[in-house]
């Protein structure tokens, strides 16, 4: 039995975006409980040379939409990476989710064999679509979700493994 590129990407990205949305819910609840300025958490980071929380959201969104565009040839939306509030992060997630909802499974019919070329550290790398999805896009996507999780946890937001894994059923 084969698993389609659609099934390995769109639902996976949708689930990850839902996890990121849940993190925003928990961030808002934490800010209310602790009387913390909620939007100040958008700039939180683990280390000075790492992206802040907003950057993690931007990379999760970008990875989802760019991956789909690269493996299908569908034109993807472009966002400015200017989010500074929880509301703006929610809007970005919603726009990304809306884009994913427009991509039909039929667009993935030749996705695994499509050549994807990306720039990594100034070097151009080409690979098959399935290789790109499985060895670069999905690990990158989950890296930024896990980093957002760590930033929030470090800031005191009560996020745990069940939040990271998302809902089942």
């Amino acid at each position: 039995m084969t698993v389609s590129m659609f099934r390995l990407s769109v639902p996976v990205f949708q689930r990850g975006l839902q996890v990121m949305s849940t993190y925003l819910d928990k961030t808002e609840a934490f800010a209310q409980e602790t009387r913390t300025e909620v939007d100040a958490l958008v700039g939180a980071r683990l280390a000075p040379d790492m992206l802040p929380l907003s950057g993690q959201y931007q990379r999760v969104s970008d990875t989802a939409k760019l991956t789909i565009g690269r493996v299908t040839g569908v034109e993807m939306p472009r966002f400015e990476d200017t989010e500074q509030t929880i509301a703006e992060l929610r809007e970005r997630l919603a726009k990304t989710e809306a884009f994913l909802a427009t991509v039909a499974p039929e667009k993935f019919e030749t996705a695994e064999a499509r050549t994807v070329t990306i720039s990594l550290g100034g070097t151009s790398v080409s690979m098959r679509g399935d290789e790109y999805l499985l060895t670069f896009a999905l690990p990158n996507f989950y890296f930024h979700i896990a980093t957002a999780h760590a930033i929030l946890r470090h800031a005191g937001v009560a996020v745990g493994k069940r939040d990271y894994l998302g809902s089942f059923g």
Side-chain angles (χ1 to χ4, degrees):
M1 181 171 102
T2 61
V3 179
S4 72
M5 288 282 285
F6 175 85
R7 188 165 172 228
L8 289 171
S9 59
V10 173
V12 173
F13 292 143
Q14 289 169 325
R15 183 180 176 100
L17 293 172
Q18 184 56 54
V19 166
M20 296 294 277
S21 180
T22 298
Y23 287 169
L24 293 179
D25 294 342
K26 291 198 168 237
T27 300
E28 287 177 323
F30 169 80
Q32 188 173 22
E33 290 168 14
T34 62
R35 294 180 171 39
T36 303
E37 176 53 47
V38 69
D39 291 332
L41 293 169
V42 173
R45 60 180 80 221
L46 291 176
D49 64 343
M50 290 182 73
L51 291 171
L53 184 64
S54 60
Q56 306 309 321
Y57 274 81
Q58 292 158 357
R59 296 318 170 275
V60 164
S61 166
D62 286 346
T63 300
K65 63 190 178 67
L66 291 173
T67 298
I68 299 309
R70 287 174 177 153
V71 300
T72 65
V74 170
E75 188 170 337
M76 61 221 128
R78 300 208 183 281
F79 305 146
E80 294 297 318
D81 293 346
T82 57
E83 295 82 11
Q84 296 182 20
T85 67
I86 296 292
E88 290 170 345
L89 293 176
R90 280 193 192 283
E91 181 180 341
R92 185 178 182 119
L93 290 178
K95 290 189 297 188
T96 306
E97 289 169 348
F99 166 68
L100 293 176
T102 68
V103 185
E106 297 79 40
K107 295 290 186 183
F108 291 81
E109 287 176 1
T110 60
E112 63 274 341
R114 180 185 286 269
T115 299
V116 174
T117 302
I118 58 174
S119 178
L120 293 173
T123 303
S124 185
V125 177
S126 294
M127 60 193 96
R128 286 173 41 107
D130 55 353
E131 188 179 12
Y132 165 72
L133 176 67
L134 295 170
T135 65
F136 180 80
L138 290 174
N140 187 56
F141 184 72
Y142 283 114
F143 171 84
H144 291 290
I145 293 174
T147 303
H149 180 103
I151 289 169
L152 292 172
R153 183 70 187 231
H154 182 72
V157 179
V159 293
K161 185 175 181 179
R162 284 296 302 222
D163 298 307
Y164 177 80
L165 292 175
S167 61
F168 294 91

